[in-house]
């Protein structure tokens, strides 16, 4: 499976952006799609994840209440709606898929995700 992330850009603090992650093929119900970000000089960080079967979601604490992850089953696409953006949200955002053969809890660990798309840059100015 190939993933294509898009939607990044330059935004002022307090603004909104919506990122998209489109998969090249069908996403199976047991899979998990995650959004990660990496700021210059920092480690890659989990942002949000969604379980394809039932839409269960997981967020890192710093984005709770501001970011929303969602999916469109028909389009094999996952979205990350980012509201109330802050300068500390500036990073390259990537999506990734965890290939599973059974439903289980979502993980924040980048190492469990199997395929990654290229990143899209989000820059938030103060």
């Amino acid at each position: 499976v190939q993933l294509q992330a898009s939607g990044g850009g330059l935004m002022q603090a307090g603004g909104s952006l919506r990122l998209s992650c489109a998969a090249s093929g069908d996403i199976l119900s047991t899979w998990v799609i995650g959004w990660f970000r990496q700021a210059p000089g920092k480690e890659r960080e989990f942002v949000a994840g969604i379980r394809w079967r039932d839409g269960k979601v997981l967020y890192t604490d710093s984005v709770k209440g501001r970011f929303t992850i969602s999916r469109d089953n028909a389009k094999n696409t996952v979205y990350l709606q980012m509201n109330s953006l802050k300068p500390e949200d500036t990073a390259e955002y990537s999506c990734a898929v965890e290939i599973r053969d059974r439903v289980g809890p979502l993980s924040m660990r980048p190492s469990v995700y199997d395929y990654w798309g290229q990143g899209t840059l989000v820059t938030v100015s103060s």
Side-chain angles (χ1 to χ4, degrees), residues 3 45 47 53 68-69 76 83 86 91 98 112 114 120 122:
L3 303 174
E45 173 191 27
V47 176
R53 169 171 287 184
T68 302
I69 188 171
N76 288 321
N83 299 329
K86 303 176 181 181
E98 181 188 359
V112 307
D114 299 286
T120 184
V122 172

Side-chain angles (χ1 to χ4, degrees), residues 80-94:
L80 185 68
Q81 179 67 43
M82 306 187 296
N83 299 329
S84 302
L85 283 164
K86 303 176 181 181
E88 51 263 44
D89 294 319
T90 295
E92 183 175 76
Y93 285 71
S94 302

Side-chain angles (χ1 to χ4, degrees), residues 3 7-8 11-12 18 28 35 37 49 69 90 97-98 106 125:
L3 303 174
M11 180 59 62
Q12 288 189 331
R18 189 178 80 157
L28 301 186
W35 280 102
R37 65 187 180 186
I69 188 171
T90 295
V97 59
E98 181 188 359
L106 283 77
S125 63

